Amino acid sequence: MTRVFSGIQPSGDLHLGNYLGAIQNWVELTDRYECIYSIVDLHAITVPYSPAALEQRVFDMAVGLLAAGLDPERCTLFVQSAVPEHAQLEWLLNTVTPLGELSRMTQFKDKSERAEMVSAGLLNYPILQAADILLYHAELVPVGDDQLQHLEFTREIARKWNARFGDYFPEPQPMIGGGKRIRGLDGVSKMSKSRDNTIPMLGEPEDTWAAVRTAVTDPARVRKNDPGNPHVCNVFAMHEFFTDPEEREEIEVRCQTATIGCVECKRMLAEGISDRLAPIRERARDLRANPDRVNAILADGAARARQIARVTLGEVYDRMGLDYSAHD
Ligand code: TYM
């Protein structure tokens, strides 16, 4: 069966960008593929973070993913740092990676501009991502469009390594699927924790409303009586996911004719989000009350992932002229 791999950073609360852009798709793919999903804590430590909070964030992410519908019977879910082969393969891939390409990565440029100190880890981030994927010979990688450059880079590393040490790694393909870019509350940039423009996935109705209330709508619509343009409005764009088509058409016309105000439109959206995500919130509550169950799922996932990872690393050692026997 075709293998799928994807990762998500445990960097704060899950938001609708993660949910609509990635997680929903992850859940659907488990019907059709062998899916391996990782909470990538080693990636999360490439920017300033609190060691005391990291463990809780990893746990919260596991709760969110399971609550959103990932079934541990139908996929492998694990924490990246529990499988040391990720970091080991990353080192080996370092040796075939041209420095110039790394420093041209958009995400690196973006993050390093905002950072006080730019670590080598931040620069090497895409190599670790390539290791994540190649370790499992994954052929498909579901991601949002912000990760396409990293995927292209992964294919390039696979080609370079194969050219040097023999054909071994398949070139993984991205799957954008549902993963279109979800814009944040500012209505412009990608919804992202680091930009503080998110709508939480597990928020109670009042938290959802508190976030949605502040969303930027059509900037040209200053007064309630001004007609709006729903096609430039991010609140309208979000209705696509949470409001049925007929109601959406009505909102579209009412916005264009100034017979609905932005506040009412936002109220409808916030209610739609809260209703749709109510079962997920409920499951998250149950899981939080059962940390042993969550930890057992992650431990089992790590053991399964590791079985595959060790075989790959052994074969890579072999092809690179290194002795793997001490690891057996
Ligand atoms: P991360 O943790 O930033 O995001 C996880 C997934 O969510 C998608 N996503 C979005 N999609 C649409 N709109 C948004 N606003 C939005 N915000 C996040 C991301 O595209 C991603 O699919 N480098 C990766 C993690 C990673 C990885 C991997 C992914 C590490 N190793 C191997 C795939 C394969 C990242 O930072 O994702």
Side-chain angles (χ1 to χ4, degrees):
M1 201 165 26
T2 305
R3 194 175 279 157
V4 164
F5 181 93
S6 199
I8 189 162
Q9 296 194 62
S11 42
D13 294 338
L14 273 166
H15 54 75
L16 292 188
N18 300 132
Y19 179 65
L20 301 170
I23 299 168
Q24 252 188 344
N25 201 20
W26 286 18
V27 174
E28 279 164 27
L29 292 174
T30 61
D31 288 339
R32 279 177 285 147
Y33 300 106
E34 180 194 348
C35 295
I36 303 179
Y37 297 129
S38 184
I39 299 171
V40 292
D41 52 351
L42 297 177
H43 278 106
I45 63 172
T46 56
V47 290
Y49 75 104
S50 149
L54 186 60
E55 201 179 339
Q56 185 64 37
R57 290 196 159 181
V58 169
F59 178 81
D60 289 344
M61 179 55 73
V63 165
L65 293 172
L66 295 167
L70 278 190
D71 176 354
E73 304 279 316
R74 308 178 68 176
C75 68
T76 298
L77 176 67
F78 72 100
V79 179
Q80 185 187 34
S81 63
V83 179
E85 286 76 10
H86 286 253
Q88 291 175 313
L89 181 60
E90 191 249 343
W91 178 257
L92 302 176
L93 297 179
N94 260 312
T95 63
V96 296
T97 305
L99 190 57
E101 287 183 33
L102 274 178
S103 54
R104 280 195 292 274
M105 292 283 124
T106 323
Q107 204 153 357
F108 170 70
K109 286 199 282 189
D110 187 39
K111 284 190 186 170
S112 55
E113 269 165 23
R114 289 186 277 154
E116 259 173 45
M117 191 278 290
V118 180
S119 70
L122 191 61
L123 180 69
N124 289 344
Y125 179 115
I127 312 181
L128 182 59
Q129 183 158 347
D132 296 341
I133 299 166
L134 299 179
L135 201 48
Y136 301 98
H137 290 246
E139 289 173 69
L140 294 174
V141 184
V143 282
D145 71 348
D146 59 319
Q147 296 298 317
L148 287 180
Q149 195 184 34
H150 286 166
L151 250 286
E152 181 48 53
F153 179 81
T154 300
R155 282 200 294 278
E156 173 134 14
I157 301 286
R159 280 195 293 273
K160 286 210 156 55
W161 192 94
N162 288 347
R164 175 80 178 82
F165 301 107
D167 207 20
Y168 178 66
F169 289 123
E171 286 182 35
Q173 297 301 321
M175 276 180 112
I176 290 294
K180 49 174 119 166
R181 179 170 302 213
I182 307 298
R183 285 176 279 152
L185 293 169
D186 54 12
V188 184
S189 48
K190 174 182 111 162
M191 187 177 287
S192 144
K193 193 72 198 167
S194 63
R195 293 184 191 273
D196 199 17
N197 64 1
T198 63
I199 304 173
M201 182 186 91
L202 295 175
E204 292 301 326
E206 57 274 21
D207 307 323
T208 306
W209 172 238
V212 172
R213 249 188 86 234
T214 67
V216 174
T217 53
D218 171 3
R221 191 176 184 194
V222 182
R223 270 169 254 100
K224 202 175 161 187
N225 297 340
D226 296 338
N229 178 359
H231 302 287
V232 300
C233 174
N234 191 34
V235 170
F236 185 71
M238 300 284 283
H239 271 291
E240 182 189 333
F241 300 102
F242 298 99
T243 308
D244 62 51
E246 279 161 33
E247 206 173 344
R248 226 167 47 229
E249 262 172 47
E250 200 185 310
I251 294 173
E252 187 177 2
V253 175
R254 290 184 63 201
C255 172
Q256 286 162 335
T257 53
T259 52
I260 185 174
C262 293
V263 176
E264 190 184 344
C265 178
K266 287 178 181 177
R267 280 242 181 249
M268 291 167 84
L269 176 64
E271 269 167 34
I273 295 172
S274 294
D275 290 351
R276 165 88 87 74
L277 301 184
I280 299 185
R281 286 200 300 278
E282 183 67 39
R283 279 198 292 271
R285 266 193 290 274
D286 289 349
L287 287 159
R288 274 209 196 89
N290 256 309
D292 291 350
R293 177 166 147 63
V294 175
N295 291 329
I297 291 170
L298 293 176
D300 179 60
R304 278 191 276 155
R306 201 155 185 214
Q307 264 176 4
I308 305 170
R310 286 171 60 91
V311 173
T312 305
L313 198 67
E315 288 172 354
V316 169
Y317 260 55
D318 211 31
R319 284 165 187 252
M320 292 183 77
L322 299 160
D323 180 7
Y324 196 66
S325 58
H327 301 243
D328 285 333

